[in-house]
Amino acid sequence: VSTQSTGSSTSDMAGAPIVCPGHTRAIRDLRYSDDTPDGIFLISGTHDAEPMLRSAESGDWVGTFKGHKGAVWNATISADATRALTAAADSTMRYWDALTGDELYQWKHDHIVVKACDMNSDGTFATSGCNDKKIRIFDLSNLEADPRVISTAAAPSQLRFTPDDKRIIAGSRDENFLRVFDVETLEELSCMELKGAVTYLSLTADKQHMLASAGKTVVLVSLADFALVWEHQVESEVESCALHPDHSVFVTGGLDNVIRLHNASTGDVLESSRAHHGPVHSCAFHPLGSSYATGAGDSAIRIWPYAPKPPAEP
């Protein structure tokens, strides 16, 4: 797999992206590892059933996780980039060695599409969200143990452990609520009504906030008290969102195929692009803020350079 740089006549972005070929169907999830001695890595979940690992800087292909027999809806990588987790339409969540690409374990979910997955901060627990309206929590030190189960009001399509590993935040495309569950008691602690179904969740780099897209809005929520920090309107239904590490800008991926870069204080659009030829289902900011990645229904991943623009001269 190779990479190439390309521009777009329908873009007003500051720089041309790196285009990462290799996938053949829609990209549904993009997540970064932390900074490791070997670099930072980007994992992609895709409907072609072959999630891939890439260099976050160059977009170069590192490896493919082979084994799924259905569309992969979610994919995540551990902070140290040694383990990966994927959720798919083949009714499995799979646990991988990210260094070798070997499958370490798979959990079958009784003919139920697995839409969401996540690992906690130190890679000791995993969670899955399924169309049976259940969240399952798995102990990664005892792979064959039965999961603990949380019943929910709607099928989870997005799940994230909070950075303290004590809670799980769930969002669904079937309802307008963000829900918070206690990992130990399995009880629902809180819920927040949004202005649309929840399409994407993204933890911020400071590990103190959660960004969520819902309908034509993006919201920033404090993890300390689950309070709304800000809410911004977007021209299109929003499929995905990510916040720069310094909270100055955020990016949205639209159902209208448009990538938008917004001022985080005002919500104003600073740059936009129609480089993708399909809904932009996923986006993520590089942990150091130097770029962001977008993935769409056209099967392409694009890595966009980012640098703050100097203030305008008076």
Side-chain angles (χ1 to χ4, degrees):
V1 178
S2 62
T3 62
Q4 61 183 20
S5 295
T6 182
S8 170
S9 60
T10 56
S11 175
D12 62 8
M13 295 299 195
I18 296 170
V19 179
C20 307
H23 286 303
T24 59
R25 294 187 65 191
I27 311 300
R28 298 300 309 210
D29 202 8
L30 291 169
R31 300 193 215 179
Y32 285 98
S33 72
D34 285 353
D35 196 359
T36 77
D38 295 316
I40 298 172
F41 298 90
L42 177 67
I43 193 170
S44 52
T46 168
H47 279 185
D48 65 16
E50 294 196 345
M52 293 183 182
L53 195 65
R54 299 178 183 275
S55 162
E57 314 306 332
S58 65
D60 288 341
W61 176 84
V62 175
T64 302
F65 300 100
K66 291 182 175 289
H68 278 296
K69 306 300 182 186
V72 175
W73 288 91
N74 259 196
T76 189
I77 188 166
S78 61
D80 64 3
T82 63
R83 296 289 185 265
L85 198 67
T86 52
D90 61 6
S91 304
T92 69
M93 181 173 72
R94 303 194 186 207
Y95 185 44
W96 308 86
D97 184 323
L99 301 178
T100 65
D102 293 336
E103 181 183 301
L104 300 175
Y105 201 77
Q106 64 173 266
W107 294 274
K108 296 180 179 178
H109 288 67
D110 295 328
H111 309 291
I112 304 160
V113 173
V114 188
K115 282 286 185 74
C117 67
D118 197 33
M119 270 187 284
N120 69 346
S121 64
D122 62 2
T124 54
F125 286 91
T127 185
S128 69
C130 304
N131 281 357
D132 62 356
K133 301 182 182 180
K134 288 182 170 58
I135 298 169
R136 293 169 172 86
I137 302 171
F138 300 87
D139 184 347
L140 297 181
S141 67
N142 186 5
L143 298 177
E144 296 185 359
D146 290 337
R148 291 178 294 135
V149 180
I150 299 170
S151 294
T152 64
S157 55
Q158 293 284 299
L159 293 173
R160 296 292 186 275
F161 280 99
T162 54
D164 63 7
D165 299 332
K166 295 179 179 179
R167 295 164 290 169
I168 291 172
I169 299 178
S172 173
R173 287 178 176 263
D174 297 330
E175 67 167 5
N176 296 3
F177 291 92
L178 269 183
R179 298 184 185 272
V180 183
F181 298 92
D182 187 285
V183 170
E184 290 301 321
T185 68
L186 310 183
E187 296 295 324
E188 184 174 315
L189 300 175
S190 181
C191 71
M192 176 184 291
E193 186 171 9
L194 303 180
K195 294 179 180 175
V198 180
T199 54
Y200 212 73
L201 297 178
S202 175
L203 278 173
T204 58
D206 63 9
K207 302 187 186 304
Q208 297 179 27
H209 300 86
M210 173 75 70
L211 197 69
S213 54
K216 292 185 175 182
T217 64
V218 175
V219 299
L220 186 68
V221 177
S222 167
L223 296 178
D225 54 5
F226 206 57
L228 183 67
V229 178
W230 53 247
E231 174 184 288
H232 293 310
Q233 299 288 322
V234 181
E235 291 178 40
S236 166
E237 296 283 333
V238 184
E239 280 287 291
S240 57
C241 57
L243 184 68
H244 189 277
D246 70 5
H247 288 221
S248 60
V249 296
F250 66 96
V251 63
T252 58
L255 191 62
D256 62 357
N257 307 354
V258 177
I259 305 159
R260 296 175 174 88
L261 186 70
H262 305 256
N263 180 305
S265 296
T266 65
D268 293 343
V269 177
L270 304 174
E271 300 176 357
S272 64
S273 173
R274 289 185 178 271
H276 283 294
H277 303 289
V280 186
H281 297 301
S282 53
C283 58
F285 250 107
H286 187 289
L288 303 181
S290 55
S291 63
Y292 57 90
T294 58
D298 59 4
S299 78
I301 298 170
R302 287 175 165 83
I303 299 176
W304 301 83
Y306 175 76
K309 291 183 177 179
E313 294 184 5

